[in-house]
Amino acid sequence: MNSALQNLFRYSRSSLRPTFAAPYSAVAHAVESEAAGEPDKLYQTISIEMRANEHSNMTSYSQFARMAAGHLGITIGRCYIAPTFYQRDKLCLLRSAFTNKNCRIQYEVRTYYRYMTFHNLTGSTADTFLEYIERNLPEGIALKITKVEVQKLPEELVQPRAEEESSDSTETSSESESEK
């Protein structure tokens, strides 16, 4: 029982909170898909939206993500703070539940936003990068990742070029015969 729990959870040395151990890594999955003969996916952009309760944590984490992208050779796009900078939620509660109805406490929760974009990634690079930054995600920061994948057009939308060229060549030959 104890070994099963140890296999399920790994404890980080920097903190005592357990982190879930993934059943397989993205790098191993990418190597397996290449060995199977499947082509690697291509992503035009990957957008990351970060939300945090503390602005300083989010600033240092975005710097970490940019450094990691630079070491992997990923093209870094725009890194910017949201125009509204933060969202404020206020909560008003009674200080004592029964006696003093006029004594109230106000709490304020701020949520800061930051956006990052990365351009022209392969599937294996994107999986490795995203797994790395997600595993090193500090407490109090949430990520929302949006991927834009490059795909081939369906055959129904693509006009066959071989038929067009052959029809053009027959038209020119019939025109030249009619001119004679």
Side-chain angles (χ1 to χ4, degrees):
M1 177 73 175
N2 216 3
S3 63
L5 288 175
Q6 288 177 351
N7 290 337
L8 190 60
F9 293 104
R10 285 189 213 153
Y11 288 94
S12 173
R13 292 183 186 191
S14 62
S15 66
L16 295 177
R17 63 183 175 93
T19 57
F20 183 75
Y24 64 90
S25 68
V27 177
H29 180 67
V31 171
E32 290 172 7
S33 67
E34 287 178 6
E38 298 175 9
D40 203 9
K41 293 182 180 180
L42 296 176
Y43 295 106
Q44 182 179 3
T45 59
I46 292 181
S47 302
I48 298 176
E49 175 186 332
M50 291 186 281
R51 295 180 183 187
N53 294 328
E54 292 186 26
H55 183 66
S56 59
N57 286 351
M58 188 172 53
T59 303
S60 66
Y61 184 71
S62 66
Q63 183 179 7
F64 162 76
R66 280 183 279 166
M67 286 175 47
H71 286 295
L72 289 173
I74 297 172
T75 307
I76 303 170
R78 221 174 136 202
C79 301
Y80 60 97
I81 299 173
T84 57
F85 188 65
Y86 64 85
Q87 178 182 359
R88 183 185 312 179
D89 296 327
K90 288 187 177 181
L91 181 64
C92 186
L93 298 174
L94 292 174
R95 184 177 289 222
S96 62
F98 300 106
T99 56
N100 298 326
K101 298 293 181 182
N102 296 333
C103 297
R104 296 178 183 266
I105 298 177
Q106 289 186 351
Y107 294 101
E108 180 177 288
V109 177
R110 292 183 181 183
T111 305
Y112 297 94
Y113 296 91
R114 185 175 290 243
Y115 300 93
M116 301 175 76
T117 58
F118 302 97
H119 300 288
N120 304 328
L121 291 135
T122 61
S124 58
T125 306
D127 290 341
T128 304
F129 174 66
L130 293 176
E131 182 180 348
Y132 182 66
I133 65 171
E134 286 173 0
R135 284 187 183 256
N136 293 313
L137 188 68
E139 294 179 2
I141 295 180
L143 292 180
K144 180 181 176 184
I145 299 170
T146 307
K147 299 177 184 178
V148 178
E149 185 179 352
V150 177
Q151 294 182 348
K152 291 183 180 180
L153 283 174
E155 293 180 8
E156 296 83 26
L157 298 177
V158 178
Q159 295 179 354
R161 294 184 181 181
E163 293 177 8
E164 290 177 5
E165 293 174 1
S166 63
S167 64
D168 290 340
S169 63
T170 55
E171 289 176 9
T172 56
S173 63
S174 62
E175 290 175 5
S176 61
E177 290 174 6
S178 62
E179 292 176 4
K180 292 181 183 178

